[in-house]
């Protein structure tokens, strides 16, 4: 029979702080990378989105128009919305991707904390 070891006081807070600090550092690093190295003009395949987002093509046919044998209505709608909000700065899509992925990562961290519980333990109760 194994004895389960009790977690030291404050271990849960330290673990949460470490996870949130790592999340914040990664999120800020990704945002800084976009700001430092992101282009403010379309690049490569981004040019296929410019005409419709700028209103130079009929909007709804452009949303459903194939690109390299794919239809991307959600991406085209997001591109058009961000283009109109930001004045056609193509870094807006990069920043939106960083924000969504960062929010998803935070949500997963908090979901795992809720699912696993606040302490450093295993689901079967065995000691580490």
């Amino acid at each position: 029979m194994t004895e389960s070891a009790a977690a030291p006081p404050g271990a849960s807070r330290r673990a949460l702080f470490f996870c949130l600090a790592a999340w914040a550092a990664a999120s800020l690093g990704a945002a800084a990378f976009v700001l430092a190295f992101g282009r403010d003009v379309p690049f490569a395949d981004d040019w296929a989105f410019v005409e419709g987002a700028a209103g130079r093509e009929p909007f709804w046919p452009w949303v459903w128009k194939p690109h390299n044998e794919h239809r991307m209505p959600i991406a085209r709608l997001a591109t058009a919305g961000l283009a109109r909000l930001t004045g056609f700065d193509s870094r807006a899509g990069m920043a939106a991707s960083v924000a969504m992925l960062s929010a998803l990562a935070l949500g997963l961290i908090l979901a795992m904390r809720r699912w696993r519980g606040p302490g450093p333990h295993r689901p079967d109760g065995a000691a580490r």
Side-chain angles (χ1 to χ4, degrees):
M1 201 151 100
T2 61
E3 292 183 25
S4 79
S12 175
R13 280 195 182 155
R14 285 193 303 268
L16 179 61
F17 177 78
F18 176 79
C19 287
L20 293 179
W23 167 81
S27 297
L28 290 174
F33 186 86
V34 166
L35 290 174
F37 300 108
R39 295 175 177 239
D40 61 346
V41 295
F43 179 73
D45 280 352
D46 296 339
W47 286 105
F49 289 83
V50 171
E51 294 294 321
R56 295 188 187 125
E57 289 185 29
F59 187 72
W60 291 110
W62 170 77
V63 167
W64 194 245
K65 181 177 164 182
H67 177 71
N68 290 337
E69 301 178 4
H70 300 283
R71 297 186 193 275
M72 302 178 291
I74 296 171
R76 286 182 186 256
L77 289 170
T79 299
L82 287 170
R84 291 185 180 145
L85 284 173
T86 63
F88 296 95
D89 187 348
S90 61
R91 289 177 292 199
M94 297 176 227
S97 292
V98 167
M100 287 186 291
L101 290 171
S102 178
L104 178 64
L106 179 61
L108 289 172
I109 289 169
L110 297 177
M112 285 294 97
R113 179 173 167 79
R114 183 179 175 125
W115 182 62
R116 295 280 313 234
H121 64 281
R122 291 174 38 167
D124 60 2
R128 290 190 178 216

